Amino acid sequence: MNDKLPEGPLAPVICVVGARPNYMKVAPIIRAFASHSPPIRTLLVHTGQHYDPAMKDRLFTDLELPDPDVNLAVGSGTHAVQTAEVMKRFEPIIEQYGARAVLVVGDVNSTLACALVAAKRHIPVVHVESGLRSNDRRMPEEINRILTDQISDVLYTTERTAHANLEREGIPAGRAVFVGNVMIDSLRASLAKAVPAAELLAAAGLDPQRIAGGYGVVTLHRPSNVDDVRTLGPLIDALRQIGTKLPLIFALHPRTRSSLERFGMLDRLDTPGFLILPPQGYLEMLGLMSDATMVLTDSGGIQEETTALGVPCLTIRENTERPITVEQGTNTLVGIDPRAVIAAADNVLAGHGKAGCVPENWDGKTADRIASHLSAWLLEHEAAQAVET
């Protein structure tokens, strides 16, 4: 923790990261705030919700994200324990440094926890990536999204359909601002530095010639897909069948590996169709996806990244909170029926994968729009508060 921030006339905007997807969203915002005229002073807080020191350092370097000013080091736990622990450790940070606003991104537990602390202390809450809905409340992320939006003062959206969701939930239209997708800012800024798939395979001791004719990328990590043997087993078998037609680079998430070991199914990955890699850094995943024939995933962020890259994406879920990737982009929602997954992959291999288009305002300039709007909003809000007092 830094003992003291650079001197400034105003308290900082506290920017919160808690898990890997948050880094890609906050990195361009921090840069845009620093380059804005006048600069917007920030305090970067890492809650440590998902914390692997090696991966954290790698991602921060890849994204040119400064080291956190504060690390709460919360670690893992049940949803209730983790959310409560973030709240307990975050409130003293506000007391120590003050806050013009608390900016949270996405839908992880840290997002809701820090938003709750700020709202109860009457500090403006700024939510980046507001209004996304899967309409599946069995997903903990859906609960986090809904509740964070309800207590936010400024809601920045990635797609215009999000505004209908917010309006339906009774949130005044004036709070929501369509700015675009800040994750795509990171993607566009980093694409030239992406690590090619062949280089990654060679470093892992795998033969790059195995992907000379094309390859797919697989990521699976959602509890609904990997925690139940009745779901995971058939999905792995479906992927094995696809792997007989197209080599699949499988970036194996620790949760998925643990489930495969627990179910006695890890040996099912021992097949020529799979090239198994450990979890990858941001530039490595970007390189894998950018040259892939297709991506098979249950990740929300990857749905957006593949749409921006123009790569067909098969989402192994029953729903998505990012419908624009299906309606305009390259994403196909295939569900979890193994036969549907195989059929969708065959469709791509037959040359019928979605071409799609890049959605409006996914142009690499979203963070600049956020900085411009928020700077003006804060001045207006603070002037109104001064009049009231």
Side-chain angles (χ1 to χ4, degrees):
M1 179 187 302
N2 291 344
D3 291 331
K4 189 176 182 182
L5 288 174
E7 292 293 340
L10 298 168
V13 173
I14 298 181
C15 298
V16 177
V17 293
R20 174 180 172 139
N22 298 164
Y23 303 164
M24 285 77 94
K25 298 164 191 173
V26 167
I29 292 173
I30 293 284
R31 289 195 293 273
F33 283 4
S35 62
H36 188 267
S37 183
I40 301 173
R41 201 160 159 261
T42 60
L43 179 81
L44 180 58
V45 173
H46 191 311
T47 67
Q49 175 181 329
H50 292 170
Y51 191 64
D52 176 334
M55 186 61 75
K56 172 258 176 187
D57 291 343
R58 190 171 172 184
L59 285 167
F60 271 57
T61 299
D62 288 351
L63 293 163
E64 299 179 4
L65 187 60
D67 284 339
D69 298 294
V70 176
N71 191 329
L72 302 182
V74 167
S76 60
T78 67
H79 290 287
V81 167
Q82 194 173 66
T83 302
E85 198 61 38
V86 172
M87 293 178 71
K88 284 169 56 181
R89 299 188 190 195
F90 183 61
E91 187 167 41
I93 302 306
I94 290 180
E95 293 173 349
Q96 180 178 352
Y97 293 101
R100 294 181 78 190
V102 171
L103 183 146
V104 295
V105 297
D107 53 23
V108 299
N109 289 338
S110 296
T111 301
L112 176 59
C114 293
L116 279 168
V117 172
K120 291 191 174 187
R121 294 182 69 96
H122 310 294
I123 294 168
V125 176
V126 180
H127 187 202
V128 176
E129 202 180 72
S130 291
L132 298 181
R133 297 291 182 270
S134 67
N135 298 309
D136 181 359
R137 294 202 179 191
R138 294 171 300 176
M139 298 175 64
E141 298 91 343
E142 183 79 350
I143 303 300
N144 291 341
R145 294 179 200 116
I146 292 169
L147 296 180
T148 301
D149 284 341
Q150 284 292 329
I151 58 176
S152 291
D153 299 274
V154 184
L155 300 90
Y156 291 123
T157 62
T158 63
E159 53 185 87
R160 292 191 184 275
T161 56
H163 292 251
N165 294 333
L166 296 172
E167 182 180 354
R168 187 168 57 250
E169 293 168 10
I171 295 171
R175 292 186 189 175
V177 183
F178 171 59
V179 290
N181 194 333
V182 76
M183 275 191 71
I184 308 308
D185 291 21
S186 283
L187 183 147
R188 291 183 178 274
S190 303
L191 196 53
K193 300 180 290 183
V195 181
E199 185 177 322
L200 288 174
L201 294 184
L206 299 169
D207 183 5
Q209 287 303 310
R210 291 174 63 184
I211 61 168
Y215 65 90
V217 175
V218 177
T219 76
L220 287 177
H221 75 282
R222 290 197 175 273
S224 57
N225 278 340
V226 306
D227 285 1
D228 188 331
V229 66
R230 294 168 297 180
T231 301
L232 181 59
L235 286 178
I236 293 296
D237 289 342
L239 293 171
R240 281 165 56 99
Q241 185 168 330
I242 295 167
T244 64
K245 309 163 192 175
L246 179 74
L248 298 178
I249 300 176
F250 198 157
L252 193 58
H253 192 279
R255 185 181 195 116
T256 310
R257 177 180 286 277
S258 176
S259 291
L260 289 168
E261 290 174 344
R262 187 169 70 253
F263 301 145
M265 296 194 307
L266 194 58
D267 61 348
R268 295 196 195 183
L269 303 185
D270 187 14
T271 171
F274 284 142
L275 297 96
I276 306 300
L277 292 177
Q280 297 296 298
Y282 180 66
L283 296 180
E284 287 80 6
M285 278 304 298
L286 201 52
L288 286 174
M289 291 189 296
S290 61
D291 292 325
T293 303
M294 72 177 89
V295 175
L296 302 100
T297 188
D298 57 11
S299 161
I302 286 178
Q303 295 171 49
E304 296 175 326
E305 289 166 335
T306 47
T307 278
L309 292 167
V311 174
C313 178
L314 306 181
T315 295
I316 304 174
R317 285 170 49 184
E318 300 289 358
N319 51 57
T320 179
E321 64 282 355
R322 292 163 167 86
I324 199 168
T325 64
V326 176
E327 296 159 4
Q328 297 183 25
T330 61
N331 187 23
T332 300
L333 196 62
V334 299
I336 60 172
D337 184 329
R339 294 167 297 180
V341 176
I342 293 167
D346 286 342
N347 191 55
V348 174
L349 291 173
H352 305 307
K354 280 184 165 181
C357 66
V358 178
E360 181 185 4
N361 278 359
W362 291 26
D363 56 2
K365 301 176 182 177
T366 296
D368 292 333
R369 286 188 283 268
I370 290 173
S372 179
H373 178 271
L374 185 59
S375 179
W377 186 90
L378 285 170
L379 290 175
E380 184 177 336
H381 172 76
E382 287 156 359
Q385 292 293 103
V387 169
E388 289 181 11
T389 57

